[in-house]
Structures are given as C-alpha cells and as structure tokens.
Amino acid sequence: MLDRVFSRFDMIDANLSRLQECEKYNDTLCLVMTMNSMGWAYLELGKNEEALTWLKRALQLNYSDKQALKKYNCLYSNTALAFHRTGRQDSAQYYIDIAIKYARETETLTFLSNALAFRAQMLMKTSRVSLARASLDEALKIKKQLGDPYYFL
C-alpha cells in the first residue's frame, strides 16, 4: 500500500514539472494529457474533488485538434468517474456517454470496453439492469475480441 501511495505522489510531482515544460512550449495536448494524469493520480488517492479540478482544467483548454482529443477519450471517462465519486450522477452519465461516443468514433477499443463496463456499473446502481447488462455484454465482447488477459468467460 505504501509503495502505491508514494508512487501517486511521485506521479503528481513529476506531472507538476511536466506542466511547466508543456506551458513553456505552448503544447496544449501535453497539457491535456498531463492534467488528465494529475486527475487520475488524485482519483487513485481518493481525492476526488482535487481530481475533478484537474480534469475540468484539461477539458477547458482550447485544443484545436479535436480528433486527437477524441482519441484521448480516457479524459472523459476519468471525468465521469470523478463526478460519480462526488455524487454528481447526471454529470457522470454525460461524460461517460461522451467517452463511449468518442471511443466508438476512433475505434479505441480498450477505452471503449472500459467505459462500457463503468457505464454498466453506474446503471446497476440505479437499478437499470437491462441497460447495464447490454453495456457489460458489449464490454466483455470487446475484451474477448482484443484477447484481453483479464477477460474471463
């Protein structure tokens, strides 16, 4: 447990340094990716509001290459997770739907299967079992297609 916690703090420190480099070179995609990484690190530490702050900052950047941002759709699923953990289910649903839409459009299947599995979890908590099952079935089908070693029949 301590190694995992310390590694998250190390990641945060490294990302803070990286942010300065991204800003120095005016590299917006680097900023988006680094802020997403900061958000993920704070999610892992259970600091969900802090995570949400970083993820929202990434979403607010005026990044001109929208196609690249769509391919980096884990930003949207991480944002959905942060909203979910802070009890804002409508926002969580909104962002997981965007993550799924962009993952479909860009055919980023690993992100798609993860987002579908997360959506299934959210739907189960609201007793929408048939919709949850459909999302989970699709996620498992994709994992099988990818040969995911964590896929179990």
Side-chain angles (χ1 to χ4, degrees):
M1 177 66 180
L2 288 177
D3 287 340
R4 186 173 184 181
V5 171
F6 285 134
S7 69
R8 296 298 174 228
F9 286 117
D10 291 341
M11 181 189 299
I12 290 168
D13 288 342
N15 281 329
L16 288 172
S17 296
R18 186 173 178 210
L19 277 174
Q20 292 175 347
E21 288 294 310
C22 299
E23 289 169 348
K24 179 180 174 183
Y25 295 104
N26 200 26
D27 186 338
T28 309
L29 183 57
C30 179
L31 286 167
V32 168
M33 293 172 73
T34 304
M35 289 176 183
N36 181 62
S37 182
M38 290 289 285
W40 179 252
Y42 281 111
L43 281 169
E44 286 287 300
L45 291 169
K47 297 182 178 215
N48 302 315
E49 288 294 342
E50 184 69 19
L52 199 50
T53 297
W54 284 103
L55 295 164
K56 283 179 174 179
R57 283 182 64 191
L59 289 166
Q60 291 168 353
L61 289 171
N62 187 18
Y63 186 64
S64 59
D65 187 351
K66 300 301 181 196
Q67 191 61 24
L69 197 54
K70 285 181 180 184
K71 285 186 178 182
Y72 197 68
N73 52 59
C74 63
L75 171 62
Y76 300 96
S77 56
N78 288 344
T79 303
L81 179 59
F83 275 119
H84 177 72
R85 287 186 178 175
T86 58
R88 295 174 244 178
Q89 300 312 315
D90 288 345
S91 295
Q93 186 66 54
Y94 173 79
Y95 281 101
I96 202 63
D97 288 345
I98 291 173
I100 291 167
K101 177 182 181 232
Y102 289 167
R104 286 189 200 287
E105 287 177 12
T106 59
E107 298 180 355
T108 48
L109 297 180
T110 299
F111 288 141
L112 177 57
S113 65
N114 292 342
L116 286 164
F118 178 55
R119 181 170 70 182
Q121 178 186 0
M122 289 180 6
L123 290 167
M124 283 301 293
K125 289 187 177 187
T126 59
S127 300
R128 293 184 281 177
V129 177
S130 62
L131 291 173
R133 174 144 188 133
S135 285
L136 188 56
D137 286 346
E138 185 179 356
L140 291 173
K141 180 179 174 186
I142 292 167
K143 289 195 177 290
K144 183 177 181 181
Q145 175 187 346
L146 293 171
D148 188 319
Y150 297 105
Y151 167 78
F152 295 100
L153 193 61

